[in-house]
Each structure stands twice: as structure tokens, then as C-alpha cells.
Amino acid sequence: MNKVMSNKWVIAIYIFPALLLVGVLIFIPLILSAYYGLMEWDGIGDMKFVGLENYITAIQDLKFWDSALHSFLLAVFSTLSLAGYLAVSMILASKIKGADLLRKIYLIPMLLSSVAIAQLWIKVFNPANGMLNRILMAIGFENPPAWLANPDIVLYAIFIPILWQYAGFYILIYYAALKNIPETIIEAARIDGASPLQIAYRIKLPLIKGVVKVTIVLAIVGSLKYFDLIYVMTGGGPNGASEVMASYMYKLAFSTNEFGYGSAVGFLLLIITLIVTVIVRKITADKDEIQY
Amino acid sequence: MKRKAVTLLLSVVAIVLVLAGCSDSESSNANSDDGNSKTIDFMHLWPEGSSAEHNRIVNEIIEEYESENEGVNVELEVLSNEQYKDKIKVLSTSDELPDVGMTWAAGYMEPYVEGDKYASLDDVVESEELNGQFVSGTTEAFSVDGTSYGLPLELNIATVFYNKAIFEEHGLEAPETNEEFHNVVQTLEENGVTPIALGNKDRWTGSLWYMYYADRIGGSDLLTNAINRETSFEDPALVQAAEEVQTLVDMNTFNDGHNGLSDQEAKSMFMNGQTAMYLIATWDLPNYTTNEDVPQEFRYSVGYFDFPTVDGNGDKNSYVGGPGVGLFVADNSDVKEEAKDFTKFFVQKWGDKSVSEAGVIPATKVDAESLDLPQMYVDVLDDLNNANNLTLFADVQMSSDTAEVHLNQIQALFGGEVTPEEFAKAHEKALSEEE
């Protein structure tokens, strides 16, 4: 095998298919969208070069920053929710009865398609016949809110299914990481008289730090470019109250025929996500990696 | 060494396969010209699942056409509405529109016309077979600068459908004036019945209410003129129309949380008898007449009334509505003449079949007498014959970015986030920026 790998041509051939796919499906569209961002184009007729005008408009576009704010709020909430998932995984990993079954149940939302989840939660949130408001009324609330119609609430209402959707995914990752910790270390700590809380906080957490960092990046990046449930459940409405960056971009490019401007917003979305990722990695960077 | 050769060979094969996958569009176009058989690519948006009747009629028409025209093949591609919209857009950017496809009117088709994607259909509209066949106002909606680029297939007007059983129970009658209408709403509200179902997540649904008030208060041309920039959108009548909408909202006329509900959900509230009224266009007629899936008892109890007059103003024979989809022929089609001929054939056959078999009111004139139609159809066709004006749906009239402002403002208006003055101002700003 070493002999095969020493030939540069073979390496090139092995890499080429993947490189081709990544190039055609990711990098070329990326460059194209940056390029379209320089055009005034309705996506149908002729293009007109306008330089950086679209980017400048986007930076001054209050609606864009509103949607960016909503995306960042989602990022904050999904990052905070990681703590909850971590706690759940700790419990699951500590050999309680039925852990295996519970883990599978938590994973189910992850297996459903986003549109199915959206339809499900649209029914849950229905102001008159929805499960949520029926329960609230049954326990004595007189005027439960119209979750998806009230501009002050709608964003947070949609966060619930979004977080719910990905809970199983993060729990699974943490669970696997926790299971990887050698039993002997925990055994030793226990003999030294550490309480379960101390074991969790001082031993398990530091040992899976690497995984936690990865999930933080995943959660933040995933939130910044989040689209599915918002698009299906409210379409960004009412009046933009639940618009996020990706849904705003989609709306510009595909419903209002501002393909050039939409591309510019899409490219800004990429840059923002990139910057945030770099910052997050800087903050969570560690000098000394802990080893088992 | 031998193994290396095999690896190399396999990789090459893999690459070739990947590349081959990228270039299928060439081959499908190539065979449309071989010999004397011609292929017309036709894309429509009525899948069998959701529009069974439409789908069947289209297939019948195609079959008839193919048997009458030896050597012409019609190749079909069927997508559902939203996917259709996305795909057409993508195809048009790469100049690969189907020979014949479906388009929406006015604001939607303008960029396609300006980009020279659609062929002029003046010769088809003025042809012997079709001249004078279209209901007036419908072909105009598919024209840009006096040239037709689409053949309208459907025609819909919006009317208020109401549940007669609920009205009777509370001793109410179909209102003629806005005052009577307010009374109806108030009575129902006091008796714990939600008066009107509205799914304003879709936004054009709320726009209908605003458009009708604008029509009744300001006259049938005012809104159109404001959109065409002949008058200002800050006209007092247009502001008053917005006030009327908010008055209704304040009277708890609409179901709770209407801004978060889709039209489909609102419709099901009306059809379950949870609300007494529902403003929708006549594409919904089958649900209240012939659709066997809807309980007969409900179908019998549905009636409709024209939008009431306001303070003695307004013409009840003026309607908000418009043609739905129409057919276009791609300008770069290599079988343009055949495609035009096909659209002509299609429109004629569609006019004969659509109303009696699918319950769709076509944009061509229908002889209601000769067909065995449910009474509600006869009434609607009658209304259409007596219509003095047809105002095209506002979001269709406007260019797509102004339409976006309009639709968002509609949601804000119904949600009480803006005052009627701010509502008018936002429209004026968006419209004047476009000039």
C-alpha cells in the first residue's frame, strides 16, 4: 500500500472524484454567487454590472440586519441548549435502566424530514384547535397566545421545534463521547471519594471538551444558515418577524426576482458564518489538549 | 503494477460516469428534430395527486391532439405549484424553457417577457378559432405593451362564501351594505361564533379584503391607478379602506391568530362549520358543489354573496379576481409553430371540458345553458357576464418586489402593527421607488 501511495499520480486520481464534486457543487457555485452579487439581475433577463452596489445596499438594509439578529438569537439559544443535552447524555451514560431505548427515542425527531416536523408543529401551535393551546386552556389560561401570528412570540415559538429537532443528534454525539471515557478513570475518582457531580464536572467534562467544542461550532454554524422549519411554518412572517438570513436570501432571489441582490446577501451570509466560526474557534482554542 | 493499472482504469471509468451525468440535456433536445416526427415539451403544474381532474383533462387533450396531428409528440413534465415555479425560473436562466408551459399573469411574467423568453401569441389570440372567445380582461392580463404572451386558461372572482345554516340559526341574512355586514359580524361574535375564516400567513388572502374595500370606497379604478402611478397611494379612499380592515379586526371578525394560519387551515375551519364566512375565489367552487369528499349537508348549506357596498358607495358588480394560469410558448423553441398550434388546440378543448368536468371556470366564454351545471356555477357564470369590472389581484398587478412590500404590509395591517396612514405611505414609497 505504501508503494501505491508513493506515486503522486495515484494520489491525484484518488482525490480527483471528490475534488471534482466539491468543486462543482460547492466552490464554483460559491464563486458564481459572489459574482452574481455584483450584478443587477432579475434571474431571467440580462445582467447589468453594478459593482459593489448590492453589497452596500445589503449592509444598509435594515431587514437584512433584522434577519441576521434573528439568526444570531437562534445561534445563542441552540448553544445554550447544548448544556441541557449534555446533562441528559450524562444521565443516559451513567447506566440507568432503559438508556438505550431513551437514546433511540431522542433520536427520532432527527430522522423525520423537516417538512413533516413543520406540519406537526403547525398543528401543535394552531391557535384554536392546537394541542398546546387546548392544554393551556384546560389548565386555566383564558387567552393563550396565537403562537405563530404574534410578532413578539413567533420567533421563540419556532425555536422550540428547531431545538427539539436536533436534540437527539447532540445527545447521541455526547453519549458516544462519554461512553469512550475509560471506566478505570471514573472508578479511580470514585475510590478517591469524588461525588457523582464532581466526576461529571471535573473528570467527564474536561475529557470530552474536544467534542463539546465541535458541537458548539456545529450548533452556531447550523443556526446561522438555518432555513427549513422557518420557511415552511411561517415563511418568515408575519411581516418579517421570523425572517432569518437564509429565508431572506431565498425570498429575494426566488420570490422578488432580485437574483443579484439575493446572491449578494447569500455571499454575506457565508462571510458572516465564516467570521463567526473563526471567532468561536479562537475563543474555544486550548493550549494543552487533555489526554486519557 | 497490475493492480495499479486496474485502479487507474476504474477511476477513469468513475470519472467518465460522473461527467456523463452532467450532460443529459443535450441529448433530449437533439431527438426533437429527427426525421418528420416533432416533439413538443410541455410542462404543467397539475399533478395527478392534488389535481386529478385537471390532470386527466390535460392528458385527454394531448391524446386527442396527437391522434389528430400525425408525427407530433407531446412530452410531458408535471410538477406541483411551488416546484414548478422554481424549476421554470432555473430553466429560464439557462435558456432551456419547455416549448409550452404555464405562466401567471402581469407582474409575474414581465421579467420573462423583458428577457425575451416568451414568444408573442398575438397571432393565436387573433386567430379565427379564438378571436372573441376570451372573456374581456383576461387576455389583457397576459399582455405586455399590447402584445399577448400568454393564453389564459382560468378565470376566478373572489366572493364571500357563507354557511347558510349558521346564518339561519342566528336569524341573519346575506348583507348588502357594510352596516349590515357589521351587524352580522357582531351578532355572530356575541353568540360565540367566529364570523370569518382567514388564513393570512399566505397574505394574498388578507389582500382580498383590502382590495374589496378599496374598490367599494374608492371606485373600481382607484387601486389599479395607484399601482400604475396615475394617482398616489395615499389617496384618502385607500387609507379609509385600510381603516375598514382594522375596524373588522378590532371587532374580532377573523379567527384568532389569522396571521399565522395558512389559507388551507382557514378553509378547513370554514368547512368544519367553525366559522360562518370565508372570502375566497371561485376556484373553490367544487368544494361547495360537486366534490364528493365534502359532506353533502355542508355543500347544500353554502351560499355566496357579493362584497357589500360601503356607505352607499361601490358597485356590487365590480369584482376582485383574475385569470389564474395561462399557457406560454418559449421564444427559443425549435418547434414554435407546432407549439402555437398546440396551445390553440388546448385552449379550445380546455374551454369545453374544464367547467363541466373539473369545475374550473375557463377564461373562454362558456354557454351555461348548454351544460348541466350546479346552480352555484350558473350564478357565478351569470355574475361574470354582468361584471362591470374585474380588478386583478394586487400582488399579481405589482412587480414582485412591490408585491412583497404590499403583502408584508397586509400582514402588518391585520396584525395592528401599522396605522392605515403608515400602510398607505409604505405602498407609496415602494411604488415611487420603482418609477
Side-chain angles (χ1 to χ4, degrees):
Chain A
M1 203 62 196
N2 273 341
K3 223 171 86 192
V4 177
M5 280 306 177
S6 63
N7 185 330
K8 290 215 167 67
W9 276 103
V10 175
I11 297 175
I13 285 168
Y14 273 118
I15 291 175
F16 185 70
L19 192 69
L20 185 77
L21 283 178
V22 172
V24 169
L25 296 177
I26 297 178
F27 285 104
I28 294 179
L30 219 140
I31 294 163
L32 277 180
S33 95
Y35 167 74
Y36 291 149
L38 300 172
M39 302 288 161
E40 190 187 314
W41 187 33
D42 58 12
I44 297 157
D46 294 327
M47 284 189 231
K48 198 179 115 202
F49 183 80
V50 290
L52 287 174
E53 198 184 294
N54 282 331
Y55 292 95
I56 294 165
T57 324
I59 286 168
Q60 295 166 338
D61 183 352
L62 284 180
K63 278 190 158 172
F64 172 68
W65 290 114
D66 257 353
S67 66
L69 175 69
H70 298 156
S71 291
F72 276 105
L73 275 175
L74 176 59
V76 169
F77 275 82
S78 29
T79 312
L80 291 179
S81 67
L82 289 178
Y85 306 149
L86 190 59
V88 172
S89 327
M90 291 259 188
I91 295 166
L92 283 181
S94 62
K95 294 196 203 118
I96 57 159
K97 259 194 189 143
D100 226 31
L101 181 72
L102 280 174
R103 201 183 38 147
K104 279 171 189 144
I105 291 174
Y106 289 138
L107 200 62
I108 289 176
M110 186 70 201
L111 304 176
L112 294 173
S113 87
S114 291
V115 178
I117 293 177
Q119 293 299 341
L120 178 75
W121 282 88
I122 283 174
K123 300 219 156 47
V124 171
F125 282 135
N126 185 301
N129 309 322
M131 195 171 86
L132 185 58
N133 278 5
R134 280 290 164 90
I135 293 173
L136 286 177
M137 277 190 266
I139 59 172
F141 281 93
E142 294 233 324
N143 278 314
W147 299 96
L148 299 179
N150 186 330
D152 300 328
I153 308 177
V154 59
L155 192 65
Y156 304 98
I158 298 191
F159 284 175
I160 296 169
I162 297 177
L163 299 182
W164 175 79
Q165 179 182 15
Y166 288 107
F169 174 66
Y170 291 114
I171 289 173
L172 189 74
I173 292 181
Y174 290 146
Y175 180 81
L178 288 168
K179 279 288 172 190
N180 248 341
I181 300 173
E183 203 56 40
T184 47
I185 298 179
I186 294 164
E187 195 71 45
R190 205 172 287 139
I191 289 168
D192 287 345
S195 70
L197 213 64
Q198 278 175 321
I199 292 177
Y201 192 70
R202 305 242 175 225
I203 305 208
K204 289 181 178 171
L205 195 60
L207 282 176
I208 62 163
K209 215 171 175 183
V211 174
V212 173
K213 279 192 282 187
V214 171
T215 54
I216 289 176
V217 173
L218 277 180
I220 290 176
V221 172
S223 306
L224 289 182
K225 57 180 199 186
Y226 195 78
F227 176 74
D228 331 6
L229 287 193
I230 294 205
Y231 178 68
V232 182
M233 287 178 71
T234 61
N239 191 20
S242 61
E243 200 88 87
V244 290
M245 285 192 282
S247 65
Y248 187 55
M249 169 190 80
Y250 178 86
K251 204 172 257 179
L252 289 172
F254 289 98
S255 13
T256 69
N257 282 337
E258 292 173 275
F259 208 89
Y261 186 38
S263 299
V265 167
F267 197 69
L268 281 183
L269 165 61
L270 174 86
I271 290 174
I272 290 174
T273 314
L274 216 60
I275 292 172
V276 172
T277 312
V278 170
I279 293 175
V280 171
R281 298 213 49 129
K282 272 264 154 60
I283 292 174
T284 56
D286 225 355
K287 278 125 253 152
D288 37 26
E289 199 64 33
I290 297 168
Q291 295 284 337
Y292 294 142
Chain B
M1 202 55 212
K2 205 171 173 190
R3 203 193 304 161
K4 206 163 125 187
V6 173
T7 327
L8 194 89
L9 192 72
L10 279 178
S11 323
V12 170
V13 170
I15 292 161
V16 169
L17 283 178
V18 168
L19 291 178
C22 305
S23 62
D24 67 319
S25 54
E26 297 297 319
S27 53
S28 64
N29 277 349
N31 63 10
S32 57
D33 281 330
D34 59 323
N36 29 11
S37 98
K38 303 218 171 186
T39 303
I40 301 173
D41 290 321
F42 177 34
M43 244 169 99
H44 75 77
L45 43 78
W46 292 318
E48 208 178 343
S50 52
S51 326
E53 297 303 309
H54 295 62
N55 190 285
R56 189 176 51 78
I57 296 176
V58 170
N59 289 342
E60 278 174 19
I61 295 175
I62 290 173
E63 234 167 74
E64 262 181 75
Y65 184 76
E66 284 178 337
S67 66
E68 278 182 30
N69 294 271
E70 210 50 42
V72 179
N73 261 323
V74 179
E75 194 89 4
L76 263 185
E77 181 170 359
V78 188
L79 292 166
S80 65
N81 197 314
E82 290 306 311
Q83 283 157 346
Y84 179 89
K85 271 188 189 162
D86 287 350
K87 176 138 192 188
I88 279 288
K89 178 136 198 189
V90 173
L91 287 178
S92 84
T93 51
S94 54
D95 259 328
E96 285 177 8
L97 282 179
D99 300 312
V100 180
M102 287 185 172
T103 179
W104 287 265
Y108 173 88
M109 62 186 281
E110 236 162 69
Y112 291 90
V113 171
E114 278 162 21
D116 295 324
K117 304 290 178 188
Y118 292 170
S120 156
L121 295 176
D122 277 346
D123 46 341
V124 181
V125 173
E126 283 154 20
S127 69
E128 212 178 308
E129 295 95 324
L130 290 182
N131 199 2
Q133 285 301 303
F134 289 104
V135 176
S136 65
T138 56
T139 45
E140 283 84 342
F142 282 92
S143 298
V144 176
D145 298 330
T147 309
S148 296
Y149 291 95
L151 303 178
L153 293 178
E154 307 169 304
L155 177 57
N156 293 293
I157 51 172
T159 55
V160 185
F161 290 93
Y162 70 109
N163 192 321
K164 287 191 236 170
I166 297 179
F167 269 52
E168 241 161 63
E169 195 185 322
H170 298 99
L172 297 167
E173 269 175 33
E176 298 270 327
T177 64
N178 200 32
E179 241 171 36
E180 288 175 23
F181 182 58
H182 282 181
N183 276 336
V184 168
V185 166
Q186 212 165 358
T187 313
L188 289 168
E189 219 270 319
E190 278 164 9
N191 287 293
V193 179
T194 308
I196 293 167
L198 171 68
N200 209 24
K201 181 174 116 184
D202 293 340
R203 307 181 294 180
W204 53 264
T205 41
S207 174
L208 295 180
W209 285 96
Y210 176 73
M211 285 190 68
Y212 261 123
Y213 271 120
D215 178 281
R216 296 300 188 255
I217 296 167
S220 48
D221 293 331
L222 182 64
L223 188 65
T224 308
N225 285 343
I227 293 170
N228 293 340
R229 309 312 302 139
E230 277 161 44
T231 43
S232 161
F233 208 100
E234 289 177 90
D235 189 288
L238 292 176
V239 176
Q240 201 199 328
E243 275 166 22
E244 288 292 342
V245 167
Q246 286 195 328
T247 310
L248 284 187
V249 174
D250 292 341
M251 290 170 74
N252 279 330
T253 307
F254 304 105
N255 47 289
D256 280 340
H258 46 261
N259 264 351
L261 285 183
S262 68
D263 176 52
Q264 206 59 39
E265 290 169 285
K267 190 194 309 270
S268 71
M269 289 180 86
F270 176 65
M271 296 191 43
N272 289 333
Q274 283 179 310
T275 65
M277 288 175 275
Y278 176 48
L279 174 63
I280 200 71
T282 45
W283 57 66
D284 244 25
L285 277 177
N287 281 338
Y288 315 126
T289 50
T290 51
N291 188 346
E292 299 285 342
D293 297 338
V294 180
Q296 198 172 46
E297 196 195 332
F298 175 77
R299 281 185 274 147
Y300 282 167
S301 65
V302 174
Y304 78 90
F305 58 84
D306 297 335
F307 204 89
T309 55
V310 179
D311 302 330
N313 292 323
D315 174 3
K316 286 185 75 173
N317 285 332
S318 171
Y319 294 94
V320 168
V325 292
L327 292 175
F328 72 82
V329 171
D331 198 44
N332 66 350
S333 161
D334 42 12
V335 287
K336 216 182 206 167
E337 287 315 307
E338 287 79 7
K340 281 184 178 178
D341 188 57
F342 172 67
T343 56
K344 196 192 292 175
F345 184 85
F346 192 98
V347 169
Q348 284 172 287
K349 294 289 166 187
W350 177 258
D352 294 342
K353 294 183 181 209
S354 60
V355 72
S356 51
E357 291 178 29
V360 177
I361 296 174
T364 39
K365 286 172 187 160
V366 178
D367 181 10
E369 306 278 302
S370 69
L371 298 166
D372 180 28
L373 291 173
Q375 188 56 40
M376 208 185 267
Y377 275 97
V378 178
D379 293 344
V380 167
L381 288 169
D382 222 37
D383 282 344
L384 274 175
N385 287 339
N386 296 327
N388 294 330
N389 170 60
L390 189 67
T391 307
L392 191 58
F393 301 118
D395 57 321
V396 181
Q397 277 192 60
M398 296 169 178
S399 75
S400 46
D401 33 341
T402 314
E404 188 62 30
V405 173
H406 167 67
L407 294 169
N408 276 339
Q409 284 297 317
I410 284 288
Q411 260 184 341
L413 182 70
F414 276 81
E417 288 174 65
V418 292
T419 63
E421 287 77 17
E422 287 164 351
F423 174 84
K425 200 175 226 163
H427 279 81
E428 180 60 29
K429 185 165 163 272
L431 286 162
S432 56
E433 269 170 14
E434 210 169 84
E435 273 177 291

